Amino acid sequence: MAIENLNNFLHDYFQAHHCHIQNNKDGVLQVKLTEEIDKELMNRPFYWHYINKMGRQGDTTTLNLITNPDKRDEKGDWIHFGSPRLQQILRSLVVNERYTRLFQSEQSTTKTALYPWLVVNIKISYQGKQNKDEIISLGLHLIKGLMYKDMMDLLGNVTLKPSIDDYCYTIAPIIKMESGFHRIENVLNDYINNQTHDWADESLQTLKDEITLIEHFYTSSADDETNHEHMQREIDDMKERYTPKVTYKVINGGIFYLTDNF
């Protein structure tokens, strides 16, 4: 499921930036970048400076992005939650596109209501002996209070645009933005708390074992103030490294105006 979600995330990112999806099959995504995204991701400033100065049309990069572990040895970028390419895309989203407002495209000749959804994409980081990141997307209907997980997957077949179509009109939200964020935060906390956290137990056991080894080493050494300071420093380092922590931060989000049966 994690691989499928990651692949969908990449597909949605490049599609939203008008890149040409050449192929997307079995965890391998091939995409032809636009000039804007090439400049953002490929680190070719001298090439684009020359091309723009000469008034020529540049040749943009084609990326082969692999999220299927069975195909990680194929030619291309192996993408996982710690990979440099994914982190680069996430940083780009944080810097350039943290908040947006989009409208569902609805080619209608009659009046059509669009309802507000608060959509937030969040990165959860599990830190301990083993580190892991997870990206989830939550959507809250600001009229009915409905909430969906994997919201971006649900929007996969919905055409979104920055301007509203003719004959469409928006419904004002009943749930205020601050209250909406609190609801999303509560759902996020429940989601984390309801998971099994064997990784946290393993981290705590490793921490306990490491502290025992450190104390044994220094106890068998000469007992002086310098040794005690060194021991405490190492123990503090181990606590920082192995104490399990779960943190999360918003990657991006926005208000999406959608039909009642999108």
Side-chain angles (χ1 to χ4, degrees):
M1 187 64 179
I3 294 172
E4 180 183 355
N5 287 342
L6 185 52
N7 179 271
N8 289 344
F9 170 79
L10 293 170
H11 178 276
D12 291 344
Y13 169 80
F14 288 110
Q15 187 177 60
H17 289 83
H18 310 293
C19 299
H20 177 54
I21 307 298
Q22 296 180 334
N23 186 47
N24 184 22
K25 184 178 180 182
D26 198 18
V28 179
L29 177 68
Q30 189 176 57
V31 56
K32 178 73 168 176
L33 304 184
T34 63
E35 180 176 334
E36 178 185 7
I37 297 302
D38 192 294
K39 290 178 179 178
E40 183 72 25
L41 300 181
M42 302 312 300
N43 192 27
R44 301 196 295 166
F46 297 111
Y47 171 80
W48 286 112
H49 175 75
Y50 170 78
I51 288 296
N52 292 336
K53 189 173 182 179
M54 297 296 294
R56 296 169 54 187
Q57 185 170 355
D59 183 20
T60 61
T61 304
T62 298
L63 287 179
N64 213 45
L65 304 170
I66 302 165
T67 59
N68 185 343
D70 296 333
K71 298 191 174 186
R72 63 185 300 175
D73 293 329
E74 294 186 8
K75 185 177 180 181
D77 286 342
W78 162 233
I79 303 295
H80 53 90
F81 283 109
S83 63
R85 179 69 73 198
L86 179 61
Q87 296 303 312
Q88 183 187 36
I89 290 172
L90 293 177
R91 285 195 298 271
S92 173
L93 286 170
V94 170
V95 172
N96 298 321
E97 301 175 49
R98 189 148 191 172
Y99 178 84
T100 188
R101 184 176 67 165
L102 296 173
F103 303 86
Q104 181 174 349
S105 181
E106 186 71 10
Q107 302 298 326
S108 174
T109 57
T110 59
K111 289 187 176 181
T112 303
L114 299 181
Y115 296 84
W117 286 77
L118 175 60
V119 179
V120 184
N121 297 315
I122 301 159
K123 183 173 80 169
I124 306 174
S125 297
Y126 304 86
Q127 299 167 283
K129 182 180 179 181
Q130 304 276 342
N131 294 334
K132 183 182 77 170
D133 291 334
E134 178 184 13
I135 296 173
I136 69 171
S137 177
L138 296 175
L140 172 65
H141 196 304
L142 294 178
I143 303 292
K144 300 179 180 180
L146 297 174
M147 191 176 298
Y148 291 141
K149 185 175 174 290
D150 299 324
M151 184 67 179
M152 293 306 297
D153 290 345
L154 296 176
L155 294 173
N157 295 320
V158 177
T159 301
L160 299 167
K161 55 193 295 189
S163 58
I164 191 168
D165 285 341
D166 294 338
Y167 296 102
C168 292
Y169 64 96
T170 60
I171 302 296
I174 294 175
I175 300 171
K176 294 183 178 180
M177 192 73 68
E178 183 178 357
S179 176
F181 274 114
H182 284 314
R183 293 190 188 201
I184 285 177
E185 189 173 34
N186 289 335
V187 168
L188 189 59
N189 288 333
D190 288 341
Y191 171 74
I192 294 170
N193 291 333
N194 289 333
Q195 296 182 48
T196 57
H197 292 294
D198 295 339
W199 65 274
D201 296 333
E202 184 181 351
S203 291
L204 289 172
Q205 184 59 52
T206 300
L207 175 60
K208 181 180 178 180
D209 294 342
E210 292 291 338
I211 291 176
T212 299
L213 286 174
I214 292 171
E215 290 176 339
H216 176 74
F217 172 79
Y218 281 100
T219 300
S220 61
S221 305
D223 187 13
D224 58 35
E225 187 175 344
T226 301
N227 269 351
H228 180 76
E229 290 177 357
H230 288 168
M231 180 184 73
Q232 192 58 51
R233 189 177 302 118
E234 289 193 32
I235 290 175
D236 290 341
D237 288 343
M238 286 297 162
K239 287 181 178 179
E240 177 65 27
R241 181 177 178 184
Y242 290 119
T243 299
K245 295 183 288 288
V246 180
T247 60
Y248 53 82
K249 68 176 181 179
V250 173
I251 300 171
N252 59 9
I255 300 296
F256 288 36
Y257 288 94
L258 309 171
T259 60
D260 199 30
N261 57 349
F262 76 92

